[in-house]
Each structure stands twice: as structure tokens, then as C-alpha cells.
Amino acid sequence: TYWANAFRLKNGLSNISKNLAETLGNVRSFGGDGLSASELRNYHYTVGMPYFNEVDELATYSSHEEGIEVIEEGLKQRRGGGRKVFRLDIPGGTQTVWGVGLTKGCSGDRYIMHRINKNGDSGIAHLPYQILLNGNKAIALRARFRLAVAFPGLSMGTFMQIACAPDAIKDALEAVATRQ
């Protein structure tokens, strides 16, 4: 429900959360530092930082099918240090979402999590990054937004420890989404 609200889904997915809890159990929730659904749906870290609807345009293709081919190839080749975590084809349209684990340098999941995930597993839900192929355009949430909403309780000083990450993440996702 946290990410459903942060990503402004029409349905907050509380019914899915309830079903998962009934089926698998629910020991505890983590992450979010107590942000309400309303706060998440309007989240903005601070002046000069991007909003949810400000995305990185990674690539444009001649068709949705070509986009799938290029991104799958990029993940298979681990371009930009990207590796495939999941793929979800959204029913009833031309939208595909990939979860992308990042492994290289300043964009790497390990690099980032080691520096800012100070509360045990509180930031685990931050991973993986996503690429959305919407029709023939590949986009991703800007890393500055994605990191801030995943770790809303962190100070600007802590974020400065990974100042190189947002641009490195964009470069890595562009490498995945671009034919070489």
C-alpha cells in the first residue's frame, strides 16, 4: 500500500495487503516513517527536488515490441550493470514494467543501501528500480524522487553521501533501454 500510494495508483491496494496478510501472515510493516496515504500521494521532499510526475525519458522505439526486445537484450547483457529482477506485462494494453537491480559503482544497490539504509530492513522495499515501457516510450521515476520517497526520514546530509547516485542510476537505466 505504501508504494501504491507513492505511485498514485487509483486503488491503494489495501485489499491485496489484507489478502496477503491473511494468507501469509503479517509480523510487521516497515518503511515509510509514518507517512499517510495523502502525504504519499502528494509527496515532495524539498524545493528543487522532482515530483512523481517528473520522469526520466530513457528511450523511444518504433513499437512496443521493439522496446521489449531492446530492454530484454539490455538486461540479458547486463548493460549499465542492470540485471532483471522481474517483468510484468500489464493486461489490456501496451505497458510493461521491469524491476532492475543495479550492480555498478555509484548506481549500485549495494553502494546506495550501505550508505543510507541505516535502520536494518527499513529501506529494502526501495529495491529494485523500475523501467516502464508505456507504448513505445521507456521511462523511469527520477532517482532523486525515488530515493527520497523510499527513505523519507533521512536528512539532506545523508542524501549527500550518495550525491553521485541519481545521475548514475539514470545512466545505468538508459544503458539498459538503449540498443548498443
Side-chain angles (χ1 to χ4, degrees), residues 2-65:
Y2 184 88
W3 287 110
N5 285 308
F7 291 177
R8 300 179 182 176
L9 298 182
K10 289 179 185 175
N11 176 344
L13 302 183
S14 60
N15 57 332
I16 292 174
S17 293
K18 180 182 173 198
N19 289 343
L20 285 170
E22 289 172 0
T23 304
L24 303 173
N26 182 10
V27 174
R28 65 183 170 91
S29 296
F30 63 91
D33 293 338
L35 294 179
S36 69
S38 175
E39 290 169 319
L40 281 167
R41 288 181 174 278
N42 297 298
Y43 186 79
H44 187 238
Y45 182 69
T46 192
V47 174
M49 295 288 273
Y51 289 90
F52 171 77
N53 60 341
E54 297 175 290
V55 297
D56 286 326
E57 296 181 13
L58 305 175
T60 302
Y61 312 98
S62 62
S63 68
H64 186 76
E65 293 73 22

Side-chain angles (χ1 to χ4, degrees), residues 39-165:
E39 290 169 319
L40 281 167
R41 288 181 174 278
N42 297 298
Y43 186 79
H44 187 238
Y45 182 69
T46 192
V47 174
M49 295 288 273
Y51 289 90
F52 171 77
N53 60 341
E54 297 175 290
V55 297
D56 286 326
E57 296 181 13
L58 305 175
T60 302
Y61 312 98
S62 62
S63 68
H64 186 76
E65 293 73 22
E66 180 194 14
I68 289 174
E69 177 186 313
V70 171
I71 294 169
E72 285 287 338
E73 179 183 308
L75 292 167
K76 184 176 180 181
Q77 294 176 2
R78 295 188 175 223
R79 289 195 298 251
R83 62 177 177 78
K84 184 177 178 178
V85 176
F86 69 82
R87 173 181 162 183
L88 175 64
D89 297 304
I90 308 297
T94 55
Q95 291 185 314
T96 302
V97 179
W98 286 267
V100 180
L102 298 175
T103 62
K104 287 187 178 177
C106 194
S107 70
D109 299 339
R110 180 173 288 157
Y111 177 89
I112 293 165
M113 297 301 278
H114 177 74
R115 285 160 179 77
I116 67 173
N117 190 38
K118 304 296 184 187
N119 299 322
D121 62 2
S122 68
I124 299 296
H126 163 67
L127 302 172
Y129 291 92
Q130 296 88 29
I131 293 176
L132 169 64
L133 179 61
N134 188 19
N136 68 336
K137 295 187 184 305
I139 62 172
L141 285 177
R142 289 195 175 161
R144 283 180 175 83
F145 173 84
R146 185 77 167 69
L147 287 160
V149 77
F151 298 94
L154 294 182
S155 69
M156 183 59 79
T158 303
F159 279 118
M160 291 309 294
Q161 293 178 28
I162 58 163
C164 61

